[in-house]
Structure formats: structure tokens, C-alpha cells
């Protein structure tokens, strides 16, 4: 999907979940961040409702990677 449409945020979200489940947290964080960037720059319409859960998933990645300040910032973003 990403090869056909690199601006499709749900594909990055799904990839992030897949990588997270495989404990590849750095790569998962990268995928979640790409999804967030696409949604926040309006390149993917309708994704605004997904942001809190994506931010929380990203926060968990940083927590597991012992990046506590980054994790805290992401958790704050997830709360709005």
C-alpha cells in the first residue's frame, strides 16, 4: 500500500502496530511518527480522531526504549 500511496496514514499505523508486536520499537516509533505527521499536515483527511491513540502507541515505544522525556511528551499529546 505504501508503495502506491506513501501518504496513506492508516498503513503507517498498521505497520507501527505490527512492528510494536514484534518488539521492534524504534521502527514502530518511526511508523507512528510518519502517520502523525501525515495527519497533522492534512495529507490524510479524517485521521484527526486517530491521533490520541497513535500518540499513546508512540509514547509506549519510547517508554520501552527508556526514552522517558519523549514518552512523557507523547503521552501529554495523547491527552490533548
Amino acid at each position: 500500500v505504501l508503495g502506491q500511496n506513501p501518504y496513506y496514514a492508516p498503513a503507517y499505523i498498521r505497520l507501527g502496530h505490527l512492528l510494536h508486536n514484534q518488539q521492534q520499537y524504534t521502527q514502530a516509533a518511526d511508523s507512528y511518527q510518519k502517520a502523525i505527521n501525515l495527519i497533522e499536515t492534512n495529507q490524510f483527511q479524517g485521521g484527526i480522531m486517530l491521533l490520541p491513540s497513535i500518540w499513546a502507541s508512540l509514547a509506549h515505544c519510547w517508554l520501552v526504549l527508556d526514552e522517558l522525556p519523549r514518552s512523557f511528551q507523547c503521552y501529554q499529546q495523547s491527552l490533548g
Side-chain angles (χ1 to χ4, degrees):
V1 172
L2 291 173
Q4 294 175 351
N5 184 359
Y7 301 106
Y8 190 60
Y12 286 107
I13 297 167
R14 289 186 198 114
L15 179 59
H17 292 330
L18 176 68
L19 292 165
H20 187 276
N21 289 339
Q22 294 176 349
Q23 299 180 351
Q24 296 180 34
Y25 300 111
T26 303
Q27 295 89 339
D30 183 54
S31 291
Y32 291 137
Q33 189 62 62
K34 286 179 183 176
I36 290 167
N37 292 344
L38 288 171
I39 293 167
E40 288 185 338
T41 59
N42 294 320
Q43 294 183 44
F44 177 74
Q45 299 297 323
I48 199 77
M49 298 299 291
L50 302 173
L51 281 176
S53 65
I54 304 167
W55 277 114
S57 296
L58 180 57
H60 184 260
C61 290
W62 292 129
L63 179 66
V64 173
L65 292 168
D66 203 29
E67 294 279 348
L68 300 182
R70 284 175 136 178
S71 179
F72 181 72
Q73 288 175 341
C74 292
Y75 276 124
Q76 284 184 313
Q77 289 290 330
S78 75
L79 297 173

